[in-house]
Amino acid sequence: MWLHIDAAYGGGFAMLPDYHWITKGWELADSIVINPHKTVFVPLDFSVLYVRGLERLRRVFTLVPEVLRGDTIEGEKNYMDYGIQLGRRFRALKAWVIWRSLGRAGVVARLREQIRLANLLADWIKKDDRFELSAQPSMGVICLRFVGRDPAPAGGRPSFSARPAVAPYQTDRSNESKLDQLNSDIVERINASGRAYLTQTKLCGRTVMRIGLGNVLTTEEHLRKGWDLIRETAGAL
């Protein structure tokens, strides 16, 4: 039995003291992977694999023909014995450059800014009753769903302060399939425009739009323009 923890996206946030809860249970893992190109600002592609029993990993991948046997009998680790590739690029250099430039404090400050922006966007979404916040953001990813211009219920719509932080999924809507398609259309139209890039996913079986923050240059102005673009595109459908 091999216990692997996929912390590809969220693992970087463990640098923040208030996100130390992420690491609960890591001491039980045989391996953990973190992708610094997703949250720690290293250009694509760069992954970090932590392995408890390195010799077990070597036994899985090592395949030493006679022509290479002399290269493997050495004091230093030969990384061809720990993965599929015989050779590899100097990926560590770009990580060193970025982290040397920003420093730990700079990386942490930018991670905190991602979280602030994610929660700011969540607040904007909750103020527009054409959209639902699909999940309260805990890191730098926001999921939202366009639900259209549903007629106000008897007694009027609840005030913003009375609405739940995350809108519950209403499975009794008769037009859920149509809304799924509308959300996909919004994503496709925005991506085709070249002005922003969104992805889509499924939550509780329904299509939602997904925005991931991770670029070191992203500002609140960029976020506002992106949100305005989503609203304009939804209004045009």
Side-chain angles (χ1 to χ4, degrees):
M1 179 72 71
W2 184 284
L3 176 60
H4 176 71
I5 294 178
D6 184 353
Y9 174 80
F13 286 93
M15 296 179 66
L16 280 61
D18 42 333
Y19 275 74
H20 188 68
W21 56 267
I22 294 173
T23 65
K24 185 177 181 180
W26 282 15
E27 71 278 3
L28 303 175
D30 294 295
S31 59
I32 303 170
V33 69
I34 298 175
N35 292 159
H37 66 255
K38 292 181 177 176
T39 48
V40 200
F41 314 115
V42 178
L44 190 76
D45 59 330
F46 186 84
S47 293
V48 177
L49 177 66
Y50 298 94
V51 181
R52 181 185 299 277
L54 198 57
E55 177 58 23
R56 292 172 67 189
L57 186 68
R58 190 196 68 80
R59 290 201 305 268
V60 170
F61 287 104
T62 188
L63 182 62
V64 185
E66 285 298 325
V67 68
L68 296 177
R69 187 170 296 277
D71 293 336
T72 62
I73 304 175
E74 56 187 35
E76 296 182 4
K77 289 185 176 63
N78 192 323
Y79 286 100
M80 76 173 187
D81 290 331
Y82 299 91
I84 297 174
Q85 295 172 291
L86 290 181
R88 63 189 64 230
R89 301 191 300 275
F90 190 6
R91 292 184 176 93
L93 178 61
K94 56 189 176 185
W96 181 87
V97 170
I98 294 298
W99 296 339
R100 181 75 173 178
S101 299
L102 299 179
R104 180 184 177 87
V107 171
V108 167
R110 285 163 176 80
L111 288 173
R112 291 196 183 280
E113 177 64 3
Q114 283 186 19
I115 296 168
R116 185 190 75 83
L117 291 176
N119 283 284
L120 178 63
L121 178 56
D123 289 340
W124 294 343
I125 293 166
K126 287 184 283 188
K127 291 177 181 178
D128 190 326
D129 58 11
R130 298 178 301 162
F131 294 86
E132 289 179 349
L133 182 64
S134 305
Q136 185 64 35
S138 60
M139 298 179 187
V141 174
I142 308 95
C143 292
L144 66 150
R145 179 170 166 84
F146 176 65
V147 295
R149 301 177 182 83
D150 292 337
R157 291 190 181 276
S159 65
F160 168 64
S161 60
R163 295 171 65 190
V166 178
Y169 279 89
Q170 301 181 31
T171 57
D172 58 340
R173 285 197 187 105
S174 60
N175 60 341
E176 288 290 359
S177 295
K178 182 179 179 181
L179 289 176
D180 286 344
Q181 186 58 53
L182 283 172
N183 279 269
S184 292
D185 291 344
I186 292 171
V187 171
E188 292 174 5
R189 286 198 182 193
I190 289 174
N191 291 348
S193 74
R195 297 168 60 190
Y197 182 78
L198 310 181
T199 57
Q200 57 184 301
T201 188
K202 293 279 189 180
L203 283 179
C204 299
R206 295 303 174 191
T207 301
V208 300
M209 292 176 277
R210 182 178 178 276
I211 299 171
L213 305 176
N215 193 309
V216 70
L217 300 178
T218 299
T219 65
E220 186 173 323
E221 180 183 0
H222 295 131
L223 198 63
R224 168 57 76 179
K225 289 180 178 179
W227 173 231
D228 288 343
L229 179 59
I230 291 172
R231 296 171 70 197
E232 292 168 7
T233 305
L237 290 175

